[in-house]
Amino acid sequence: MFATAASAQTRIEPHDNKYSPAEDVKIGQEAAVQVRREYPMLNDATSERLVDRIGQRLVKSISTEFRQPAFRYSFDVVNMREINAFALPGGPMFVNRGMIQAAGTEAEVAGVMAHELAHVVLRHGTVQASKAQKFQIGAIAGQILGAIVGGNAGSVIAQGSEFGLSAYFLKYSREFEREADIMGSQMMARAGYDPRAMATMFDRIAQKGGSGAPEWLSSHPNPGNRSAAIRKEAEMLGAPTYAGNTSEFNAVKSRLSRMPAAPTAQQVAQANKAGRPIPDSGTGGSVGTSGRTVRVEPPSSQWRTYQPDNLVRIAVPANWQEIGSGGGALYAPQGGYFQTEGGGSAYTHGVQVGVVNTEGRSLQEATDALIQSFTQSNPDLRRSTNYARANVGGRAGLQTTLTNTSQITGQREHVSLATTTLRDGSTLFVIGVSPFNERSAYQRIFNRVQQGLTINDR
């Protein structure tokens, strides 16, 4: 059935683009860091698992012609009330909790996600940027973010930019909307979903019009006869009938309905503008519940090398500072490191490298003991994954992830731990910490740090 559908589908031609796929990725990753910092992520594993499963299924359905190996796809749920979803150049996608709650089936959520994914695959963000004058990549990231997010919250982001490019990124053109509808339908069919579910969801969104029209409509204008065009494409594709995992979808909707109401985009925008904590009813708790709201610069794309002692050399983002030395060297961005009331220290963003005497234990036993020692000052610390093999400075090691409640913000935080055995039998560890809602971006930093270590224990 799929081979017949492929021959009948509407042909879409790529547009001219001054930017490389790698530049799409750079723009999207920088903007995604800003989204995760300024928007309340839901941080609910059950909801995120559903959205990630749908997203990965759709990514596998991208046609060979339009696949970009450099793209880095990720799928997050934003704890906001509005019916909205958006995707950034190079792969990051964000789906509002309100969008999931408004959908009637998994296939309807997949329809919105397929449409957004099509914008990424067709590189519409940087195609529109190509129509402008030639600007630095960093200069356009904020404007693309503000335009793709759309609505009240998006306009606040766009207004914060120093560059006058907003006219190029106010919303997608009707031509691009038509293309995303068509390609999204094709991806849905290849993934097994009925593309007509996309039309059903768009009809559902359009019915909520008027003065309180959904955010999604502000940046995704109707190209004309939208539903009819999608259904026509579905007929050519010989539409499949997979509606998704109904029990999982209904369980997620039931779970969301029991949570406190999500904040609105306007509340989030006002909180950001005033520097107040963003309301957050997700499983991670409220920002600043321990008295602090932490905002740090995204990790620099430039790196700097330090040698805290004769044992290791370590490379970290250039805007991270060295704090301490020797066996417990810590590297953190400005604003990400604090002295605690008891005279100790804590950090919300950063990485630490150290060595512990493990008395001849195996690496797994040593790592277990290390985690146990960390729980003495972090009673909420819990392992969230099993051990996996890891590259630590070119050596075989172990890696695991943990979750914790930050002493600084009261928020859930992501902890990455990697270990390897030194020649004298002791254990070298690299531990990275970030807010849980920024874990995707920071885990890539932590992996690069641990793999790039130079260890001199000969």
Side-chain angles (χ1 to χ4, degrees):
M1 179 171 65
F2 294 153
T4 301
S7 63
Q9 66 188 15
T10 302
R11 170 74 180 170
I12 298 176
E13 297 291 343
H15 294 271
D16 291 337
N17 194 324
K18 295 179 182 178
Y19 299 94
S20 69
E23 288 173 319
D24 278 45
V25 172
K26 180 176 174 60
I27 291 169
Q29 293 299 316
E30 289 179 357
V33 169
Q34 186 177 353
V35 171
R36 295 185 180 105
R37 187 172 65 240
E38 297 190 5
Y39 281 21
M41 298 294 107
L42 186 63
N43 296 336
D44 177 68
T46 303
S47 304
E48 289 182 349
R49 188 160 48 245
L50 170 69
V51 169
D52 184 71
R53 178 175 60 76
I54 296 171
Q56 297 301 337
R57 186 182 184 103
L58 292 170
V59 167
K60 291 178 182 177
S61 76
I62 298 170
S63 63
T64 304
E65 177 186 3
F66 287 98
R67 287 182 184 172
Q68 297 288 350
F71 281 10
R72 290 149 58 177
Y73 296 100
S74 59
F75 306 92
D76 290 282
V77 181
V78 181
N79 189 37
M80 282 175 30
R81 193 176 308 173
E82 282 74 16
I83 299 175
N84 198 16
F86 61 93
L88 301 171
M93 184 184 298
F94 298 87
V95 179
N96 274 17
R97 170 182 162 187
M99 180 69 80
I100 300 172
Q101 291 183 283
T105 65
E106 176 184 314
E108 291 184 7
V109 176
V112 174
M113 293 178 65
H115 176 99
E116 296 301 328
L117 189 61
H119 282 306
V120 174
V121 171
L122 292 167
R123 306 181 61 207
H124 282 159
T126 48
V127 168
Q128 288 193 153
S130 296
K131 299 175 183 178
Q133 299 175 20
K134 204 165 186 178
F135 285 88
Q136 295 280 336
I137 288 295
I140 67 174
Q143 288 293 339
I144 288 181
L145 171 60
I148 294 177
V149 173
N152 297 328
S155 64
V156 171
I157 296 172
Q159 290 166 8
S161 172
E162 298 177 358
F163 301 90
L165 297 176
S166 58
Y168 295 98
F169 305 112
L170 291 177
K171 60 185 178 182
Y172 285 128
S173 68
R174 284 178 168 77
E175 177 191 5
F176 286 175
E177 285 301 295
R178 182 191 67 81
E179 290 181 349
D181 287 348
I182 297 303
M183 177 169 279
S185 297
Q186 295 167 2
M187 286 192 292
M188 287 186 74
R190 283 192 291 270
Y193 293 107
D194 184 345
R196 288 172 294 191
M198 179 193 290
T200 302
M201 187 62 189
F202 289 171
D203 288 343
R204 196 186 299 276
I205 294 172
Q207 288 168 5
K208 299 180 181 293
S211 59
E215 293 276 350
W216 192 84
L217 293 176
S218 68
S219 54
H220 297 78
N222 191 328
N225 300 315
R226 167 171 260 157
S227 294
I230 293 170
R231 290 187 169 92
K232 181 179 178 181
E233 189 72 16
E235 289 177 7
M236 290 192 292
L237 293 167
T241 58
Y242 176 63
N245 187 325
T246 302
S247 60
E248 180 187 11
F249 176 75
N250 289 339
V252 168
K253 286 198 66 172
S254 176
R255 182 180 178 84
L256 295 176
S257 70
R258 295 193 301 270
M259 293 181 183
T264 66
Q266 185 175 9
Q267 289 173 327
V268 171
Q270 289 173 344
N272 278 324
K273 189 173 182 180
R276 298 192 306 268
I278 299 172
D280 182 3
S281 59
T283 58
S286 300
V287 175
T289 54
S290 293
R292 289 186 189 269
T293 299
V294 176
R295 298 192 185 281
V296 302
E297 289 185 357
S300 171
S301 59
Q302 303 296 315
W303 286 61
R304 180 179 301 165
T305 300
Y306 293 91
Q307 185 162 356
D309 55 25
N310 292 328
L311 177 63
V312 297
R313 284 205 312 271
I314 182 172
V316 298
N319 58 343
W320 289 13
Q321 305 167 2
E322 183 179 41
I323 303 166
S325 61
L330 169 66
Y331 303 87
Q334 181 73 33
Y337 174 81
F338 300 86
Q339 295 293 327
T340 59
E341 293 178 0
S345 60
Y347 56 110
T348 60
H349 302 68
V351 66
Q352 184 175 8
V353 59
V355 177
V356 291
N357 184 349
T358 48
E359 301 176 351
R361 298 174 179 174
S362 70
L363 183 57
Q364 182 168 331
E365 291 172 337
T367 308
D368 286 340
L370 186 62
I371 293 173
Q372 185 62 38
S373 71
F374 289 149
T375 62
Q376 295 178 11
S377 54
N378 299 274
D380 294 328
L381 188 69
R382 299 287 186 275
R383 272 183 59 190
S384 57
T385 65
N386 294 325
Y387 289 121
R389 294 179 181 178
N391 172 357
V392 183
R395 303 184 181 196
L398 292 177
Q399 184 169 15
T400 187
T401 57
L402 310 96
T403 58
N404 189 36
T405 300
S406 171
Q407 299 177 43
I408 304 301
T409 67
Q411 275 191 300
R412 188 181 180 196
E413 61 185 2
H414 170 78
V415 181
S416 170
L417 174 65
T419 58
T420 191
T421 303
L422 298 179
R423 189 175 183 182
D424 63 2
S426 57
T427 299
L428 180 144
F429 67 87
V430 183
I431 186 165
V433 176
S434 75
F436 191 82
N437 61 3
E438 299 177 39
R439 64 194 182 283
S440 296
Y442 277 87
Q443 186 60 57
R444 288 188 287 272
I445 298 294
F446 302 152
N447 289 342
R448 180 172 171 180
V449 169
Q450 76 186 43
Q451 293 170 13
L453 283 177
T454 300
I455 304 171
N456 181 22
D457 61 343
R458 303 303 180 192

